[in-house]
């Protein structure tokens, strides 16, 4: 049995059956390992991807529920230009602020943040925190992550990106 | 380096003393790179970045030339366990010395080749130049034999004033892969033909498997093998979701004997159990009465490491050899225990480290590795990837022990502490693999022929385990500190960030606040007057200055602030912190100001990142966290059962680093934990006038304290 998905702008066929959580199809069928398994219960946000513009936890979403929708994963944040990886402003800001310790939460947080900045170009601190309500960080890197998202938003406004 | 009188007693720095061959640590490559092979591992703390800096500094090369090899029992030095905030001292100082000696050896070769004396040579990024002309590079000079020798004592490392790489905030070497979704963790590894495993655990630690009809599961789609050995039950399948489905079916089919019921989960139960009692500090007359006496008792519950990623390992059995990829903090001790369980020679097992999520101590990393090996043995030739489910991690990881601290003190007429007593009750804080007389791996206890666990214990003082930081750094004329160790715990306990130092420093620093209040003293001044150590005073004064602390400042019924201090293990990082809380329905920690002194900071921003993280994690422990269990087993199974501090709740944190390049570098990972808990308790008291002594400080406990 196969399922057809739209992932990062491409049509992809996966072997996973309809009930399989999207996370396993992304990781094991498509090799898109940026979304991480943290709980399988939709509680921690490590597996967050963007589906039709909204941040969604892929660990408890059946593949069937993603059919026909546009799925974006962290792998699509950076773009390749002239064989160089051009990082997204969010990624650059994470480096500038050194916003990682173990980094296991980073992919999901980057996607939740992108979903926010796509619809709100100048979020307040409170709006950024609220947008990450579904994402846990165990290392305590919260302050740096919040600063990085703020920085990226500023840069994107300045550059007119996104 | 100074010459010791007795050459036999001389020691090389850190782990170099036990692993003296230079080529176990470094390799100079022909392609202009240097491979570094530390035995310590990255657990999110940023150690690899600091090690790169220390090597680049002594070798006089760009950090970009350094390649890090993952620690492996195939070639890495045995550095025991990455723990105790000791990696800078153990691995960093070893590499610093090894790199300095390597540089000397290369300079000697260059002097010979160029026909000049050593004094005429300079090095820049691996290029050695003679003042009289002529150059040679590390890359052309190095031969495989060059480092095939033991380190010597005749090496002069750079002086701190000469450092150009150490002491700068080099960006983390591991960040790019983590933010671009690349393979960054053992969880992401894929081997050709890899299968997926899952384990069905008993309903509780005392339950045993009575019966299981496996046939139905064996016929499920994708299932390759069902593995049963005693009460160890697992499945291997083609696809991950197939393994999960098969495991769920196994769990429904398995019949268990529940075993003896578990006892109550109240930490004070510890005081009713038979203990091994040891007085670990006694000075003056512990019966000194002063003019007023005080008593207080503090507790903490079982806590979970609660790593964001459930533990994972890959195992591949082929011929008589077993290849393993694991996020263990101690690949050599783990290999030793695995060899005993599997009946193999240690040399037939190769364990290579691959990073997992932050672990903060002994989580299930080791246990899952044995699980994966047991499954891989059932499907020889096929690699097996096993990741525990979230529920497995919460129910079966080793927990931080509950503790009770009973404090007493006496004040004299001037309000000075003239007597101090600290009694503590705790289970063991170290049950890692490598313990003597047993095997410290979960599955080993569930096998048909189980291998018993080693006797649970504590690391010895001065570091200590349950008694870590129980001896106060304050100068009291009379004191007595007593450790009651209850080795056997209903739930397995082991090392978690700071071990007993979390609860001991919490109790000491809360009690200091209670005594300051009784003495009518400002809590900052009261601490300073009982300290002689100038570095201790400096961090307290710095934190007070950052927070614009006002002597005897009072809370307003909702907002309040509190201070706390400790020197980790009484021999490592100094740390002082001021917490601000806002109490309404619940306690919110709104801001924290902290000062830290780790001696020479190898990477200042790395130190600050660790301190910020420790502060927020400890705030989470203090306000929210507790592992619970019923008569059968652990009832804490997911993030709803075990809430941690969220992005909405995280405080603003400001950290000042007091850098002392002339002082030996020490670790930064753990010194925050106790003081943060105490500062929050002291701030709550400052805000509300009530004293919370039992963690976590949940809404129910605030309400109970206010209505008492």
């Amino acid at each position: 049995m196969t399922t057809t998905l739209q992932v990062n702008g491409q049509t992809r066929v996966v072997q996973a059956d309809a009930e399989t959580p999207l996370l396993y199809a992304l990781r094991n069928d498509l090799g898109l390992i940026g979304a991480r398994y943290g709980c399988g219960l939709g509680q921690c946000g490590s597996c967050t991807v963007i589906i039709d513009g909204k941040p969604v936890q892929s660990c408890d979403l059946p593949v069937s529920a993603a059919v026909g929708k546009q799925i974006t994963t962290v792998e699509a944040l950076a773009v390749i230009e002239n064989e160089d990886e051009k990082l997204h402003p969010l990624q650059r800001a994470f480096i500038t602020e050194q916003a990682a310790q173990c980094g296991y939460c980073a992919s999901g947080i980057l996607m939740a943040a992108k979903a926010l900045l796509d619809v709100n170009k100048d979020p307040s601190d409170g709006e950024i925190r609220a947008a990450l309500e579904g994402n846990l960080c165990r290392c305590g890197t919260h302050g740096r992550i919040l600063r990085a998202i703020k920085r990226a938003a500023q840069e994107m406004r300045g550059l007119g990106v996104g | 380096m100074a010459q010791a009188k007795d050459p036999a007693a001389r020691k090389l720095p850190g782990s170099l003393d036990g692993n003296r061959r230079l080529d176990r640590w470094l390799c100079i490559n022909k392609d202009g790179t240097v491979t570094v092979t530390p035995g310590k591992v990255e657990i999110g703390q940023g150690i690899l970045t600091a090690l790169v800096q220390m090597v680049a500094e002594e070798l006089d090369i760009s950090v970009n030339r350094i390649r890090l090899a993952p620690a492996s029992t195939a070639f890495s030095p045995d550095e025991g366990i990455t723990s105790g905030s000791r990696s800078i001292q153990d691995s960093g100082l070893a590499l610093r010395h090894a790199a300095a000696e390597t540089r000397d050896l290369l300079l000697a070769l260059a002097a010979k080749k160029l026909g000049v004396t050593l004094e005429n040579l300079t090095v820049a990024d691996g290029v050695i130049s003679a003042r009289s002309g002529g150059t040679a590079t590390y890359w052309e000079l190095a031969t495989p034999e060059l480092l095939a020798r033991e380190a010597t004592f005749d090496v002069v490392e750079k002086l701190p004033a000469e450092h150009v790489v150490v002491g700068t905030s080099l960006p983390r070497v591991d960040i790019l892969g983590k933010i671009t979704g690349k393979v960054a963790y053992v969880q992401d590894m894929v081997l050709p033909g890899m299968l997926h495993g899952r384990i069905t655990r008993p309903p509780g630690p005392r339950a045993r498997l009575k019966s299981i009809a496996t046939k139905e599961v064996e016929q499920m789609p994708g299932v390759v093998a069902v593995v049963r050995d005693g009460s160890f039950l697992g499945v291997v399948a083609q696809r991950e979701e197939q393994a999960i489905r098969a495991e769920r079916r196994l769990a429904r089919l398995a019949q268990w004997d529940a075993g003896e019921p578990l006892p109550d989960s109240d930490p004070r139960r510890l005081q009713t159990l038979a203990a091994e009692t040891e007085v670990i500090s006694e000075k003056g007359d512990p019966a000194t009465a002063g003019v007023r006496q005080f008593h207080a008792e503090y507790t903490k519950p079982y806590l979970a490491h609660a790593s964001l990623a459930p533990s994972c390992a890959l195992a591949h059995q082929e011929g008589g050899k077993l290849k393993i990829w694991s996020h263990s903090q101690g690949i050599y001790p783990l290999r030793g225990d695995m060899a005993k369980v599997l009946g193999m020679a240690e040399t037939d097992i190769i364990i290579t480290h691959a990073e997992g999520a932050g672990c903060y101590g002994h989580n299930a990393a080791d246990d899952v590795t044995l699980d994966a090996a047991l499954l891989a043995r059932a499907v020889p030739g096929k690699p097996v990837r096993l990741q525990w489910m979230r529920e497995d991690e919460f129910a079966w990881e080793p927990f931080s022990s509950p503790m009770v601290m009973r404090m007493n003190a006496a004040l004299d007429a001037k309000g000075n502490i003239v007597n101090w007593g600290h009694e503590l009750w705790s289970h063991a804080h170290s049950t890692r693999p490598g313990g003597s007389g047993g095997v410290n791996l979960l599955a080993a206890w569930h096998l048909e022929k189980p291998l018993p666990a080693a006797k649970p214990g504590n690391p010895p003082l001065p570091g200590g385990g349950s008694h870590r930081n129980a001896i106060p750094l304050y100068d009291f004329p009379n004191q007595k500190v007593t450790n009651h160790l209850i080795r056997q715990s209903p739930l397995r306990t082991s090392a978690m960030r700071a071990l007993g130092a979390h609860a001991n420093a919490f109790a000491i620093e809360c009690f200091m606040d209670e005594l300051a209040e009784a003495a009518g003293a400002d809590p900052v001044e009261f601490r300073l007057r009982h300290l002689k150590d100038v570095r201790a005073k400096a961090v307290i004064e710095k934190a007070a200055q950052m927070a614009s602390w006002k002597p005897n400042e009072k809370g307003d019924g909702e907002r309040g602030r509190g201070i706390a201090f400790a020197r980790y293990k009484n021999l490592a990082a100094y740390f002082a912190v001021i917490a601000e809380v806002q109490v309404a329905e619940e306690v919110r920690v709104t801001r924290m100001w902290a000062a830290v002194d780790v001696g020479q900071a190898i990477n200042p921003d790395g130190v600050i990142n660790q301190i910020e993280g420790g502060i927020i994690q400890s705030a989470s422990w203090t306000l929210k966290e507790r592992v619970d269990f019923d008569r059968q087993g652990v009832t804490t199974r997911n993030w709803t059962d075990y809430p941690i501090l969220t992005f909405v709740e995280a405080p603003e944190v400001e950290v000042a680093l007091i850098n002392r390049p002339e002082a030996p570098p020490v670790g930064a990972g753990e010194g925050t934990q106790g003081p943060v808990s105490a500062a929050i308790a002291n701030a709550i008291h400052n805000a509300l006038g009530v004293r919370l002594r039992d963690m976590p400080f949940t809404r129910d406990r605030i309400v109970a304290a206010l209505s008492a």
Side-chain angles (χ1 to χ4, degrees):
Chain A
M1 178 174 178
T2 62
T3 309
T4 302
L5 297 170
Q6 301 296 319
V7 185
N8 297 336
Q10 293 182 318
T11 301
R12 304 291 299 268
V13 177
V14 298
Q15 297 299 313
D17 58 36
E19 293 82 42
T20 298
L22 175 62
L23 176 66
Y24 300 117
L26 293 173
R27 290 181 62 89
N28 299 334
D29 289 299
L30 302 180
L32 296 169
I33 47 82
R36 322 283 186 195
Y37 170 82
C39 67
L41 305 162
Q43 296 178 341
C44 78
S46 305
C47 62
T48 303
V49 297
I50 295 176
I51 299 182
D52 285 352
K54 295 210 165 52
V56 174
Q57 308 210 354
S58 64
C59 71
D60 62 349
L61 183 82
V63 162
S64 56
V67 170
K69 298 181 177 169
Q70 295 297 327
I71 303 162
T72 308
T73 72
V74 71
E75 285 85 350
L77 266 189
V79 292
I80 306 294
E81 277 181 12
N82 304 324
E83 295 182 13
D84 277 342
E85 192 173 45
K86 191 165 179 291
L87 297 181
H88 187 276
L90 275 165
Q91 292 167 317
R92 288 203 298 277
F94 267 58
I95 293 175
T96 304
E97 297 289 346
Q98 291 289 289
Q101 289 186 44
C102 87
Y104 201 83
C105 66
S107 302
I109 287 172
L110 284 162
M111 298 316 281
K114 180 177 191 299
L116 170 70
L117 298 187
D118 283 349
V119 295
N120 182 350
K121 294 191 179 351
D122 189 11
S124 67
D125 291 352
E127 286 170 332
I128 296 173
R129 286 174 181 257
L132 300 183
E133 207 166 9
N135 294 83
L136 297 178
C137 162
R138 184 55 166 162
C139 295
T141 322
H142 303 68
R144 287 166 183 260
I145 290 169
L146 294 169
R147 285 199 298 278
I149 295 169
K150 191 98 178 162
R151 173 184 285 274
Q154 282 164 0
E155 187 191 325
M156 288 164 76
R157 285 199 307 281
L159 294 175
V161 177
Chain B
M1 181 167 281
Q3 295 286 318
K5 281 181 186 151
D6 173 12
R10 292 177 74 189
K11 282 199 157 196
L12 287 162
S15 311
L16 192 60
D17 199 56
N19 302 273
R20 295 188 167 208
R21 288 261 302 209
L22 293 174
D23 57 5
R24 293 209 87 182
W25 296 90
L26 294 163
C27 179
I28 309 290
N29 302 314
K30 290 283 168 207
D31 67 356
T33 62
V34 174
T35 305
V36 180
T37 55
K40 298 283 183 179
V41 300
E42 183 64 45
I43 51 175
Q45 82 283 43
I47 186 63
L48 296 182
T49 306
L51 297 181
V52 163
Q53 287 178 265
M54 293 176 90
V55 171
E57 183 69 68
E58 294 300 330
L59 275 177
D60 282 318
I61 57 170
S62 157
V63 293
N64 300 322
R65 292 188 179 277
I66 295 179
R67 305 288 176 265
L68 285 156
S72 172
T73 58
F75 54 78
S76 299
D78 180 358
E79 292 200 77
I81 294 161
T82 302
S83 68
S85 295
R86 289 207 46 87
S87 295
I88 292 287
Q89 294 101 304
D90 291 349
S91 202
L93 298 186
L95 277 165
R96 175 181 271 179
H97 187 100
E101 179 144 18
T102 301
R103 180 181 181 277
D104 284 357
L105 292 168
L106 289 160
L107 281 170
L109 287 179
K112 198 169 167 191
K113 182 176 175 195
L114 300 173
V116 297
T117 59
L118 286 172
E119 294 74 41
N120 286 298
L121 297 177
T122 57
V123 188
D125 198 17
V127 179
I128 304 170
S129 304
R131 290 205 181 85
S132 50
T135 62
T137 68
Y138 287 0
W139 336 114
E140 66 198 37
L141 291 169
T143 60
E145 301 78 44
L146 179 71
L147 301 182
R149 67 179 79 199
E150 291 202 347
T152 69
F153 294 89
D154 307 318
V155 172
V156 181
E157 297 159 9
K158 285 188 185 174
L159 296 170
E162 298 172 295
H163 288 161
V164 292
V165 182
V166 162
T168 66
S169 292
L170 179 72
R172 294 178 67 110
V173 296
D174 56 349
I175 197 169
L176 190 62
K178 292 176 175 179
I179 59 165
T180 52
K182 302 275 169 34
V183 174
Y185 308 98
V186 69
Q187 285 87 355
D188 304 329
M189 287 182 61
V190 177
L191 296 173
M194 184 174 86
L195 303 173
H196 293 270
R198 285 296 184 275
I199 307 296
T200 297
R201 292 287 179 211
R206 295 171 183 180
R208 288 295 175 264
L209 185 58
K210 202 159 52 178
S211 67
I212 175 81
T214 57
K215 192 158 190 180
E216 179 192 329
V217 174
E218 282 159 6
Q219 289 166 353
M220 286 176 72
V223 169
V224 178
V226 174
V227 180
R228 183 194 173 178
D229 185 339
S231 293
F232 177 83
L233 184 60
V235 61
V236 181
Q238 297 283 351
R239 293 178 57 91
E240 190 166 17
E241 67 271 19
Q242 292 169 337
I244 293 169
R245 285 173 195 153
E247 187 282 314
R248 290 196 177 138
R249 190 75 200 131
L250 277 179
R252 277 195 292 274
L253 292 168
Q255 302 286 315
W256 305 93
D257 276 324
E260 283 289 300
L262 295 173
D264 215 59
S265 65
D266 180 358
R268 285 192 169 78
R269 180 176 168 273
L270 282 163
Q271 293 169 304
T272 68
L273 301 174
E276 294 167 42
T277 295
E278 181 191 8
V279 176
I280 58 169
S281 170
E282 190 163 19
K283 68 178 179 184
D285 176 9
T288 304
V291 295
R292 285 192 289 164
Q293 296 83 42
F294 300 87
H295 300 269
E297 199 170 275
Y298 305 84
T299 70
K300 67 157 277 217
Y302 284 98
L303 292 176
H305 303 80
S307 296
L308 199 54
S311 296
C312 179
L314 274 65
H316 188 187
Q317 172 99 43
E318 203 158 34
K321 307 276 184 189
L322 181 62
K323 283 189 201 160
I324 301 275
W325 290 265
S326 167
H327 56 110
S328 169
Q329 288 175 276
I331 53 175
Y332 283 96
L334 172 60
R335 185 180 68 165
D337 274 19
M338 298 246 314
K340 288 183 206 167
V341 180
L342 301 171
M344 296 174 70
E346 288 193 17
T347 47
D348 287 335
I349 304 173
I350 293 174
I351 305 182
T352 300
H353 182 264
E355 201 178 334
C359 67
Y360 329 106
H362 179 196
N363 69 354
D366 297 307
D367 298 318
V368 74
T369 308
L370 174 59
D371 290 348
L374 290 169
L375 296 185
R377 209 160 56 165
V379 289
K382 297 271 193 185
V384 175
R385 173 188 180 275
L386 167 63
Q387 181 163 20
W388 279 14
M389 302 302 283
R390 169 52 55 195
E391 298 85 343
D392 299 328
E393 190 80 19
F394 267 123
W396 292 98
E397 66 150 289
F399 301 112
S400 161
S401 174
M403 289 176 67
V404 182
M405 289 67 56
R406 182 181 288 165
M407 317 296 287
N408 69 274
L411 295 180
D412 66 10
K414 292 179 188 158
N416 291 322
I417 297 170
V418 290
N419 193 10
W420 178 270
H422 180 153
E423 263 188 283
L424 68 106
W425 288 260
S426 176
H427 296 303
H429 284 256
S430 182
T431 62
R432 292 182 186 271
S436 63
V439 168
N440 285 339
L441 292 167
L442 178 64
W445 314 328
H446 291 164
L447 298 177
E448 181 70 40
K449 291 180 187 157
L451 287 86
K455 190 164 141 187
N458 274 325
L461 289 169
S466 58
H467 42 350
R468 183 170 293 178
N469 274 80
I471 300 172
L473 196 73
Y474 297 103
D475 293 286
F476 303 133
N478 305 288
Q479 73 182 29
K480 184 175 180 182
V481 182
T482 309
N483 181 26
H484 304 284
L485 173 63
I486 300 98
R487 288 185 192 270
Q488 296 301 333
S489 168
L491 305 180
R492 176 170 52 146
T493 58
S494 195
M496 179 158 144
R497 199 172 195 168
L499 281 61
H502 170 236
N504 288 319
F506 161 67
I508 290 171
E509 289 298 304
C510 286
F511 198 46
M512 283 297 283
D513 234 56
E514 299 200 37
L515 296 170
E517 191 193 17
D522 173 69
V524 171
E525 182 277 323
F526 189 71
R527 283 174 171 80
L528 293 173
R529 79 162 90 147
H530 287 97
L531 280 169
K532 291 204 186 88
D533 189 321
V534 292
R535 290 170 69 181
K537 290 183 178 189
V539 290
I540 292 173
E541 285 164 348
K542 181 68 186 174
Q545 181 216 328
M546 292 165 72
S548 304
W549 181 266
K550 294 176 200 65
N552 291 304
E553 64 175 53
K554 292 278 177 284
D556 63 6
E558 288 183 355
R559 179 192 164 278
R561 303 203 297 180
I563 185 164
F565 155 82
R567 184 183 191 193
Y568 188 50
K569 302 182 190 171
N570 289 350
L571 50 73
Y574 294 87
F575 176 75
V577 61
I578 289 171
E580 177 188 74
V581 300
Q582 189 78 34
V583 190
E585 294 268 295
E586 311 191 314
V587 181
R588 281 285 303 278
V589 179
T590 45
R591 287 188 74 177
M592 308 280 267
W593 299 263
V596 63
D597 169 0
V598 293
Q600 180 185 37
I602 305 301
N603 184 317
D605 188 61
V607 171
I608 291 170
N609 201 349
Q610 277 288 284
I611 297 296
E612 290 169 350
I615 287 172
I616 289 183
Q617 189 174 81
S618 179
S620 182
W621 295 357
T622 309
L623 296 179
K624 310 190 99 166
E625 300 184 26
R626 171 175 47 200
V627 172
D628 219 341
F629 54 98
D630 62 14
R631 296 295 171 223
Q632 189 168 40
V634 175
T635 51
T636 302
R637 295 283 171 137
N638 58 54
W639 294 110
T640 305
D641 301 332
Y642 197 85
I644 64 172
L645 212 64
T646 67
F647 274 92
V648 174
E649 298 162 325
E652 302 280 341
V653 178
E654 191 183 326
V655 177
L657 175 67
I658 299 177
N659 197 354
R660 298 188 187 274
E662 75 288 355
V666 296
E670 299 171 295
T672 42
Q673 304 309 95
V676 166
S677 292
I680 292 170
N682 296 340
I684 292 170
H685 179 263
N686 184 252
L688 303 180
V690 298
R691 181 55 69 176
L692 296 185
R693 300 190 183 90
D694 300 300
M695 292 188 279
F697 305 149
T698 55
R699 187 184 167 184
D700 290 351
R701 285 195 164 143
I702 300 277
V703 170
L706 283 170
S707 57

